[in-house]
Amino acid sequence: MTDLRPFRRAALALLVAAALPGCALFRTPPPLTVESAYAQGMEAYNAGQWRRAAELLGQFVPNATSDPRLKGALMALGRAHLETREYVSATAQFLRVATEFPRDPEAEAARFGLCDAYHRLSPRPQLDPEYTNAAITYCESFASIYPGTPQAAQAQAWVAEMRGKLAQKAYENGFFYFRRGLYDAAIVYFNNVVTQFPESPWSSSALLRMTEAYGRLGYREEEAATRARLLREYPQSPEARNLAAAPADSAGR
């Protein structure tokens, strides 16, 4: 027969502990106050505990409208969201600092945070470009307000990257129609690449496809003009070198 006495003694010990005042085993943690949310949130932030910091500071910020620590808490909350890849939430915190405290020192970091967060949100070129356009807007704005800074140089590099994505998307849209023999529609997209993103490597590819499209449509004058433009404006591109090596009347055929 199983000896149940040890189990009975353990149950009795638990009952006695529950009856003792202040027993740690059954003690209810004190409710989180605004002060403790801030203190624990910043402690977690400084320790690199990003999710914990975001949780606690997220409880402090709505109750700290007139608190002088609000700006710092918003910046910490935004950076914590960046670290946890909650980029949309990060933009909300940085935008608050930039709009509510536009002349304070924190505004510069907040504006760069907006640029950074939207750059991270920017998807592959084939997807909706909403966040890519937002990244261009905020990064161009930052670079114009804080020229000559390392962050401005980074923002400009991100702008070039984002514009390259838009150029690629426009080119691929044009090529979609080109492959199906819908050359007029393809030309519209290819022309958009060249006019809106002339600095992009996709521009020389778009001009080559436009040359081919005009040739297949039998528009000899437009074909020749587009060919000449490619050779003139992008002479070092692979497309221009290949086209220059081919007979002029063989383009597009």
Side-chain angles (χ1 to χ4, degrees):
M1 178 181 294
T2 303
D3 187 358
L4 299 179
R5 284 176 294 178
F7 298 101
R8 292 191 183 114
R9 284 196 293 269
L12 179 60
L14 285 173
L15 289 173
V16 171
L20 294 176
C23 177
L25 184 62
F26 293 95
R27 187 180 301 159
T28 302
L32 193 68
T33 64
V34 172
E35 286 298 320
S36 59
Y38 176 80
Q40 294 177 36
M42 292 305 296
E43 181 181 358
Y45 175 79
N46 292 325
Q49 299 171 352
W50 309 119
R51 292 196 181 280
R52 178 65 173 160
E55 176 188 351
L56 291 166
L57 292 174
Q59 296 181 55
F60 168 76
V61 164
N63 299 293
T65 306
S66 58
D67 194 304
R69 299 169 295 181
L70 177 61
K71 286 180 295 183
L74 285 169
M75 291 301 300
L77 181 55
R79 287 168 178 151
H81 283 312
L82 278 182
E83 294 293 337
T84 58
R85 300 186 179 184
E86 297 170 307
Y87 302 131
V88 174
S89 296
T91 65
Q93 314 313 318
F94 294 138
L95 186 60
R96 278 196 64 183
V97 176
T99 55
E100 294 181 21
F101 310 99
R103 300 184 183 278
D104 290 12
E106 292 85 353
E108 179 178 350
R111 291 188 178 105
F112 186 74
L114 280 166
C115 167
D116 186 6
Y118 276 111
H119 168 253
R120 299 189 196 200
L121 278 167
S122 174
R124 302 192 314 273
Q126 295 79 8
L127 301 180
D128 190 318
E130 176 186 358
Y131 289 137
T132 301
N133 285 319
I136 292 173
T137 297
Y138 283 111
C139 290
E140 284 183 335
S141 174
F142 181 88
S144 68
I145 298 173
Y146 306 100
T149 63
Q151 292 83 0
Q154 179 62 78
Q156 289 171 329
W158 284 338
V159 168
E161 178 190 339
M162 298 300 98
R163 285 178 59 81
K165 285 186 177 184
L166 296 181
Q168 180 179 348
K169 182 176 180 64
Y171 176 86
E172 290 177 352
N173 286 341
F175 193 63
F176 172 86
Y177 291 105
F178 183 88
R179 286 184 305 176
R180 288 157 177 78
L182 302 172
Y183 301 120
D184 289 311
I187 288 169
V188 171
Y189 282 101
F190 293 143
N191 189 59
N192 285 342
V193 175
V194 177
T195 56
Q196 296 180 25
F197 312 102
E199 79 287 355
S200 168
W202 294 98
S203 291
S204 56
S205 298
L207 281 172
L208 178 61
R209 292 300 183 188
M210 286 175 66
T211 301
E212 295 173 352
Y214 283 130
R216 296 183 187 187
L217 287 168
Y219 298 165
R220 303 304 176 208
E221 184 177 344
E222 290 83 354
E223 177 188 8
T226 307
R227 184 181 192 277
R229 182 179 180 184
L230 172 57
L231 296 173
R232 181 179 67 254
E233 297 183 8
Y234 304 93
Q236 302 305 316
S237 67
E239 293 82 5
R241 289 198 296 267
N242 292 337
L243 194 60
D249 61 354
S250 66
R253 290 182 285 283

